Structure formats: C-alpha cells, structure tokens
C-alpha cells in the first residue's frame, strides 16, 4: 500500500512530480505498438473503430471516482475494451446495501474499502489493463492530481464535489464526465472543454463548408480518401463545452422551447435533478426524506426550477415528483447497466476521436425508456461565416 491511502497494482510506471509537492504514479509515456495477440483479442472492436483508435484506447489512463453500481458498469466496459490503465478512487467501505447492485464484490468484502475490494474481480476481465485503487477521499485531492489522467469520470456525487472536480479538470485541461442514478432515473454529463472528432461519410456533390453548425459545434476541416472505389469524406468537427456548475443554471436551447408542443416534450427529470442538487446544496450530503418539511422544500425547489426553464406547470405532475423522490438514493441494475454502457461507449468514441459525443446532459427515464440529450450552456451568440 502506497502513501496517502493509495494501493498500486499493475504494470511498471514512472513517477510524476507536480507543483504542490505530491508525487503520483504515471504510466510509461511511450507504449509499444499493438501486438498481434492484442489484434486477435480485440478483433471485433478493431473492425468497428480501427487499429489507430485501439492504440489510443490502450494507452489511455483513466480515473474513475466512486465504485457503486454505475461505476461497476463503466469499469467493466472500459476494461473489456482494453484501456491502458484504470485508477478507481473511493474512500467508502462496502456495506450490505452495495451487494444488491454491484457485481465485483460479495458479502466477504463488507467492511473493506470499495475500490480495493473490487480490483481483483475487475482484473479477471482483462489482465492486460493496469489497475490501481486509491482509498483517499476525492475531496482531499489537489487540482494537480488530475494532470496524470487522460479522462476523469466521477459517479454518484452531489453537485458540490462534481463542480470541484470539474473545475480541477479544466485547470489541467482534462475531459470530465459525471454520472449518477436514482432508481428508475439517471444522468450522464460531459465537459470535454474543446473536443475535435471525425465523421466519415460518402462524399456528396455539395461542398462541405467550414462554419458553425450550432452554438457549440463547428466544422473545422474536411479531407477525402478513396475506400473500396468510393470517395469518402472525413469531416472534422469541434465541440465546445461548459462546466457542470454553469450547465446546471443554463437555459434550454431556444428550439426546445420555441413552441408549446416542444416544451411539453422536455422531461421533468431535468427539473427534479436540479431541485435535488439545490436541496443538497442547502443540506450537504443529504437526500430528501419522507418528512413533511423535506417534501415541501423539494416541491418548492422543483416548482422554481421548472419556471426558470420556462416549462408548462402541467408537465411537473405530482405523480412524477412522488416517483422521483421514492427513487432517490437507490440503485437498479438495468438502469445502471444502460447508463454505464452509454458513458463507457462515449469515452471510447472520444478517445478515438470518432462520432458525435454527448453534448452535454443525457437524462434517462426508464419508465419511458427515453434518454434525451440537452445541450445546456450559457447564452452566447453563434459564429457567423467561414472558419479562417
């Protein structure tokens, strides 16, 4: 066990010294080329996203904060995909409640640290991945701690800690994801700061213009190649993101509230999530109970948030509020499997710079089995004209 509560289990690595004096474990910066054995092992996914994307994946060093049900699913999917290194950070101990929705632990682990207890079972999925467990509180980590990672994923935390981690990630220019579940409901948030990705498509007769497509997305480059006798266009797009504290107070996009019909289609889950985070800001570390005072406070907060979003009062039904409150703090395996799978796939796409990433809030309601994505950003004017 290393100092500062960190367990290290994995391949050879070098140390990284950061300005605040902390010494951190860092993988070797130059990994060897992908081997024939790895090509055979990852054959199916290489056929999907190519050798170059797999090489980027196998060199990725990812931090996963929290090790509850969603994090179990994220870790499973990323490790099976063949990332280079995964650090699991969790200072909490395994309880009986954890056994109902987590598959890397058993009753033998009750009382042990969640991150350390999960590592042996995670390793069985793919021994090629370097695994590390950090048992220190994420609240004690300085911003420089995040500099060694290529991607940071924080799960099942209140808005306060999420905002702190997100700010630290921006300070060291690292992409950040957040996710959480409450029974039948859950969310994924992405702040990739500025992210370029490539879309491949058959070239059309209409020239691709280098210009803004939305207030956050811009076409920045276009090249072509010949593949199987067809001319394929590779269009590079750039997405700009906002941190979670700003996204949480930003309005819906104008087109989402441009008509009564569209307003009616916005999920009240957005309202309830904002109300829950406001409740936790007023009472840190708590969730609404069945008490009359908590119910009245949450209902008041939800009503205020709904009005701020300019949504019709009839879409915030008492039945939905009751259902959400009954689910807060619980975990349901099928829901966490969906959310964890979606987030892991988005991380894989981002690392390989392929496909449109989540921009920037995905909200999942398993009652309707819908997962709409809302681009929540402070209002700023779109770019006009060509990109110079």
């Amino acid at each position: 066990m290393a100092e500062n509560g960190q367990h290290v289990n994995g391949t050879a690595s070098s140390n990284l010294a950061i300005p605040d004096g902390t010494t951190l474990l860092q993988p070797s910066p130059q990994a060897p080329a992908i081997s024939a054995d790895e090509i055979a092992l990852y054959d199916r996914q290489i056929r999907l996203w190519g050798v170059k994307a797999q090489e980027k994946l196998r060199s990725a060093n990812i931090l996963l904060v929290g090790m509850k049900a969603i994090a179990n699913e994220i870790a499973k999917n990323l490790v099976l995909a063949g990332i280079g290194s995964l650090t699991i950070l969790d200072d909490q101990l395994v309880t009986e409640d954890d056994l109902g929705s987590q598959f890397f632990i058993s009753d033998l682990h009750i009382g042990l640290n969640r991150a350390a207890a999960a590592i042996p079972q995670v390793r069985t999925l793919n021994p090629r991945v370097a695994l590390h467990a950090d048992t220190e509180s994420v609240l004690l980590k300085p911003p420089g701690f995040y500099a060694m990672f290529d991607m940071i994923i924080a799960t099942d935390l209140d808005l306060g800690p999420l905002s702190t981690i997100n700010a630290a990630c921006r300070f060291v220019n690292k992409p950040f994801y957040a996710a959480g579940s409450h029974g039948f409901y859950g969310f994924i948030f992405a702040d990739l700061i500025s992210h370029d990705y490539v879309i491949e498509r058959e070239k059309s007769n209409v020239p691709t213009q280098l210009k803004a497509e939305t207030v956050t997305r811009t076409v920045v480059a276009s090249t072509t190649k010949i593949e199987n006798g067809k001319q394929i266009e590779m269009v590079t797009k750039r997405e700009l993101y906002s941190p979670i504290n700003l996204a949480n107070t930003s309005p819906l996009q104008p087109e989402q509230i441009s008509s009564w019909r569209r307003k009616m289609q916005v999920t009240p889950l957005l309202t309830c999530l904002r109300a829950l985070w406001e409740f936790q800001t007023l009472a840190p570390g708590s969730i609404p109970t069945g008490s009359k005072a908590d119910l009245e406070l949450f209902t008041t907060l939800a009503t205020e948030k709904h009005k701020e979003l300019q949504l019709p009062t009839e879409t915030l039904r008492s039945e939905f509020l009751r259902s959400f409150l009954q689910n807060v703090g619980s975990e349901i395996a099928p829901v966490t499997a969906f959310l964890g799978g979606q987030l892991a796939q988005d991380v894989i796409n981002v690392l390989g710079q392929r496909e449109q990433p989540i921009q920037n809030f995905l909200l999942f309601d398993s009652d309707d089995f819908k997962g709409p994505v809302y681009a929540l950003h402070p209002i700023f004017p779109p770019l006009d004209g060509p990109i110079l």
Side-chain angles (χ1 to χ4, degrees), residues 41-60:
L41 176 63
Y42 303 123
D43 176 69
R44 291 182 64 185
Q45 58 203 51
I46 288 175
R47 291 174 186 270
L48 288 175
W49 52 65
V51 173
K52 288 185 178 180
Q54 187 64 38
E55 287 179 340
K56 291 179 181 179
L57 196 61
R58 73 192 286 271
S59 64

Side-chain angles (χ1 to χ4, degrees), residues 15-312:
N15 289 333
L16 173 68
I18 56 178
D20 59 25
T22 305
T23 299
L24 300 169
L25 202 73
Q26 178 172 301
S28 175
Q30 292 186 348
I34 191 167
S35 67
D37 286 346
E38 288 175 296
I39 290 175
L41 176 63
Y42 303 123
D43 176 69
R44 291 182 64 185
Q45 58 203 51
I46 288 175
R47 291 174 186 270
L48 288 175
W49 52 65
V51 173
K52 288 185 178 180
Q54 187 64 38
E55 287 179 340
K56 291 179 181 179
L57 196 61
R58 73 192 286 271
S59 64
N61 183 14
I62 296 177
L63 173 65
L64 179 59
V65 180
M67 198 52 180
K68 297 182 72 175
I70 283 184
N72 275 220
E73 296 288 349
I74 296 168
K76 177 193 72 176
N77 285 285
L78 292 179
V79 167
L80 287 174
I83 60 171
S85 175
L86 178 67
T87 296
I88 302 172
L89 189 158
D90 195 323
D91 66 335
Q92 298 297 303
L93 305 181
V94 177
T95 67
E96 288 188 11
D97 290 340
D98 293 323
L99 304 181
S101 55
Q102 300 176 42
F103 44 78
F104 289 131
I105 56 174
S106 69
D107 54 359
L108 298 177
H109 297 112
I110 292 176
L112 301 179
N113 174 266
R114 277 201 298 234
I119 288 288
Q121 289 301 314
V122 177
R123 180 174 289 108
T124 63
L125 298 176
N126 190 347
R128 294 176 182 271
V129 178
L131 297 173
H132 315 288
D134 190 329
T135 61
E136 191 175 58
S137 170
V138 69
L139 300 178
L140 300 178
K141 299 298 185 184
F145 168 75
Y146 301 97
M148 66 180 292
F149 300 102
D150 299 303
M151 185 82 66
I152 293 87
I153 306 167
T155 63
D156 294 306
L157 294 173
D158 296 354
L159 180 62
L162 289 178
S163 298
T164 300
I165 299 170
N166 193 176
C169 291
R170 281 190 156 249
F171 182 76
V172 294
N173 198 34
K174 298 295 181 179
F176 168 80
Y177 281 90
S181 70
H182 295 287
F184 291 130
Y185 311 103
F187 76 93
I188 297 172
F189 170 78
D191 177 12
L192 308 181
I193 307 176
S194 176
H195 175 67
D196 289 5
Y197 61 98
V198 177
I199 299 292
E200 293 191 13
R201 62 194 183 195
E202 191 170 346
K203 186 171 178 60
S204 93
N205 294 326
V206 180
T208 296
Q209 296 184 355
L210 306 187
K211 66 175 186 178
E213 292 185 328
T214 70
V215 293
T216 62
R217 184 172 64 249
T218 304
V219 178
V220 295
S222 174
T223 59
T224 58
K225 65 179 180 179
I226 302 299
E227 189 175 88
N228 298 324
K230 294 182 178 180
Q231 197 170 23
I232 303 299
E233 183 179 30
M234 296 174 291
V235 181
T236 301
K237 299 185 179 185
R238 177 172 298 152
E239 283 280 3
L240 300 179
Y241 285 79
S242 299
I244 195 168
N245 61 326
L246 292 182
N248 183 52
T249 56
S250 294
L252 290 161
Q253 292 295 309
E255 62 269 19
Q256 292 170 324
I257 54 174
S258 61
S259 69
W260 186 263
R261 180 181 61 83
R262 290 185 175 180
K263 287 182 179 183
M264 293 291 289
Q265 292 174 345
V266 176
T267 174
L269 180 55
L270 176 58
T271 293
C272 287
L273 184 61
R274 288 187 171 189
L276 175 62
W277 282 345
E278 182 69 18
F279 183 98
Q280 291 172 328
T281 299
L282 298 173
S286 66
I287 58 175
T289 66
S291 70
K292 182 180 179 181
D294 280 4
L295 293 176
E296 289 180 348
L297 175 58
F298 184 84
T299 301
T300 298
L301 293 173
T303 302
E304 291 174 355
K305 300 300 179 184
H306 211 62
K307 289 180 179 178
E308 289 173 4
L309 289 166
Q310 301 179 49
L311 297 175

Side-chain angles (χ1 to χ4, degrees), residues 6-18:
Q6 187 173 44
H7 299 259
V8 178
N9 301 280
T11 57
S13 57
S14 59
N15 289 333
L16 173 68
I18 56 178

